Amino acid sequence: MQPALFAAQRPLVRWGVLRRARVAAEAGRLVVRGRARTHAWPLGPQGVASAVHLKGRPCSSAARTRLRDLGKGAINKSGGCVHLCDSTGRALACLLPSDWLPNGAVPVPLDAPDTFPSVRNDSRREDFLELSGMADFLRHQGLAVHESPGQEPPRAPEFAGTLRPGPKDGPAVLLLFFALAQLLVLMLAAFAVGGFGSGEGAWQLLVSLPFLVFALCTAGAAFLLGLAAPRGEEPAVAELRPSPGVPVTRGFLGRSSLRLVADALELRTAQNVKRRLPPPADPVLGVREAVVLQDGGRPWGVALVDRRRAVLAFLHGDTWFGGDPQLTRLTDFCHRAGIGLRRQELRAFPGRQEADRTARPWRTGDYALNDTFAYSALMASVVAVGVVPAFFVGAGGDVEGPLFLVIFGLAFAIGAVPYAVRGAVRKWSLNRLVPAGPAPNMEPGGAASGGKGAATP
């Protein structure tokens, strides 16, 4: 199996990006594949001949966020950027390491494992490129890797720019721009039909229909994304589901899983976030061991590590294995997946994240702004039918006519009711705590019968 760099973790609705985007060598060419576009160069003197790691900060190309890149997520400056260069040292393209690491952050070493970046996880690590595996990946392709403290290589005429995998954080910013543009159009239309204060039917229809169209588009997109995401899952060779020893949410018990598919290990959380890890068959970047971490003989976590002992994923002991103290499910999964299993003594939670955030009730405050939009595309409808009318009424628009109220009320119902239903499902079902116990209808190493719902948390 050829090694590959996968895109950083994504919400399940962005499963298409995770499935397609990667950096790999194919038929003697280095291929950088995003969601919509693919770039490829020959490996060697006639194409990509070396790589330069610009440490500490991204180059000017990577630091500039264009309008079309807003949905791809904020640029993580950790680890700087990597330039793919030709035989003369000129840059052909730029890659952001954080875009192509499983957790989307600086790699975590085994001496401080955690589910989330810890205080040890800073961008000034001298061994960043080595620990991330990118250096080994590039060298495996026959490319020399050079470090640069701040000097950007010159760009080739065909410089492809910064190549990023595809949408990550969702359409939050773009939708806000759309809403403001809609407001501007309504204001201009108001002057065109006679100014503010007109109560004519044509005016009411003109200012109400855009809300209805926007609500239909956003709610429809959310529904289609929710249907497509779980259907895109591949059959699993082996699957591990939680056996909690403490109360966890129903969403955690039904959704969380670690699955080995044809070309990757997939970790899915209760929040419908997916992470693709290089499988054991990957000779350079693949998961080599599941390390059971013990403190005084008591297991408190399991770290999935590669041959550099970088932690690609961390599973809390109490929520994943507390109900299976003999670790029979983990042992069976590792045997089926071809992953080594060993125990290691280490002080519990040196990364300071003792609670498994993915297993506790998930609140809106746990999300950043863009994350909220990514996990719930329905929220765009709420913005469209809530914020924009507020601006419009504040500007003096006459929206008291019956035709406007009927059409706008329908738009508001399309946008707000599904969002309210989703919130109720999350609060009263997915976030409901259930007693400790194994995942439903599970046998060691088997597949679950449920937990494939498309609703996002």
Side-chain angles (χ1 to χ4, degrees), residues 117-179:
S118 67
V119 291
R120 296 284 302 278
N121 194 6
D122 65 82
S123 60
R124 295 168 293 180
R125 292 189 63 97
E126 291 297 322
D127 59 347
F128 173 87
L129 209 61
E130 298 294 336
L131 188 61
S132 70
M134 290 193 73
D136 279 354
F137 169 79
L138 294 169
R139 285 193 288 260
H140 184 80
Q141 314 305 336
L143 304 177
V145 181
H146 309 287
E147 297 278 357
S148 175
Q151 186 66 32
E152 219 178 296
R155 298 177 184 176
E158 62 274 22
F159 180 66
T162 301
L163 305 182
R164 307 192 68 192
K168 178 183 178 183
D169 288 335
V173 179
L174 293 178
L175 286 170
L176 289 174
F177 274 123
F178 186 92

Side-chain angles (χ1 to χ4, degrees), residues 230-258:
R231 293 184 180 183
E233 290 192 340
E234 305 170 59
V237 177
E239 182 171 16
L240 176 67
R241 299 289 298 278
S243 298
V246 296
V248 296
T249 63
R250 186 170 176 266
F252 176 84
L253 194 62
R255 288 176 170 179
S256 299
S257 66
L258 180 66

Side-chain angles (χ1 to χ4, degrees), residues 24-401:
E26 300 175 4
R29 299 170 68 83
L30 186 69
V31 178
V32 181
R33 184 176 291 117
R35 183 195 62 166
R37 296 189 62 186
T38 298
H39 294 78
W41 304 269
L43 282 164
Q46 303 305 315
V48 180
S50 64
V52 175
H53 178 213
L54 190 65
K55 299 168 62 176
R57 61 177 180 83
C59 66
S60 57
S61 169
R64 242 187 347 260
T65 303
R66 299 176 179 86
L67 183 63
R68 68 173 183 270
D69 293 329
L70 291 176
K72 295 180 181 178
I75 291 175
N76 189 333
K77 297 180 181 180
S78 300
C81 59
V82 174
H83 288 85
L84 305 176
C85 301
D86 60 19
S87 57
T88 64
R90 296 179 302 174
L92 298 170
C94 173
L95 301 177
L96 288 166
S98 58
D99 280 342
W100 303 100
L101 297 179
N103 68 344
V106 181
V108 179
L110 188 54
D111 61 351
D114 231 325
T115 308
F116 293 87
S118 67
V119 291
R120 296 284 302 278
N121 194 6
D122 65 82
S123 60
R124 295 168 293 180
R125 292 189 63 97
E126 291 297 322
D127 59 347
F128 173 87
L129 209 61
E130 298 294 336
L131 188 61
S132 70
M134 290 193 73
D136 279 354
F137 169 79
L138 294 169
R139 285 193 288 260
H140 184 80
Q141 314 305 336
L143 304 177
V145 181
H146 309 287
E147 297 278 357
S148 175
Q151 186 66 32
E152 219 178 296
R155 298 177 184 176
E158 62 274 22
F159 180 66
T162 301
L163 305 182
R164 307 192 68 192
K168 178 183 178 183
D169 288 335
V173 179
L174 293 178
L175 286 170
L176 289 174
F177 274 123
F178 186 92
L180 292 175
Q182 182 175 276
L183 171 63
L184 178 61
V185 170
L186 292 179
M187 293 177 67
L188 293 176
F191 286 106
V193 297
F196 293 113
S198 173
E200 299 177 1
W203 159 245
Q204 296 179 33
L205 186 66
L206 180 67
V207 298
S208 58
L209 278 180
F211 298 119
L212 180 60
V213 172
F214 191 82
L216 285 170
C217 290
T218 52
F223 178 75
L224 293 176
L225 284 171
L227 284 180
R231 293 184 180 183
E233 290 192 340
E234 305 170 59
V237 177
E239 182 171 16
L240 176 67
R241 299 289 298 278
S243 298
V246 296
V248 296
T249 63
R250 186 170 176 266
F252 176 84
L253 194 62
R255 288 176 170 179
S256 299
S257 66
L258 180 66
R259 307 168 70 244
L260 176 66
V261 296
D263 63 344
L265 271 172
E266 294 177 357
L267 175 64
R268 179 181 175 185
T269 71
Q271 288 69 44
N272 265 343
V273 175
K274 266 205 170 184
R275 182 184 301 184
R276 297 203 97 193
L277 314 175
D282 186 324
V284 178
L285 307 171
V287 173
R288 291 289 179 270
E289 290 182 317
V291 183
V292 180
L293 301 170
Q294 301 180 150
D295 189 352
R298 187 184 74 85
W300 56 270
V302 173
L304 299 174
V305 301
D306 59 17
R307 64 190 182 90
R308 286 161 295 276
R309 297 195 175 183
V311 179
L312 302 183
F314 176 78
L315 309 176
H316 279 72
D318 56 354
T319 54
W320 275 83
F321 310 106
D324 181 20
Q326 302 304 316
L327 301 180
T328 55
R329 293 172 185 264
L330 176 64
T331 302
D332 183 73
F333 173 80
C334 290
H335 174 73
R336 291 170 179 258
I339 298 173
L341 180 64
R342 68 179 176 88
R343 295 174 182 261
Q344 176 176 318
E345 284 290 324
L346 183 68
R347 178 174 59 87
F349 302 106
R352 302 182 184 179
Q353 292 284 356
E354 298 186 26
D356 187 350
R357 287 178 56 192
T358 65
R360 66 180 171 91
W362 201 256
R363 303 173 181 86
T364 303
D366 292 319
Y367 295 105
L369 173 63
N370 280 349
D371 290 335
T372 304
F373 280 85
Y375 295 118
S376 175
L378 289 171
M379 192 168 180
S381 297
V382 178
V383 171
V385 299
V387 176
V388 174
F391 274 112
F392 184 75
V393 173
D398 181 6
V399 291
E400 297 179 357

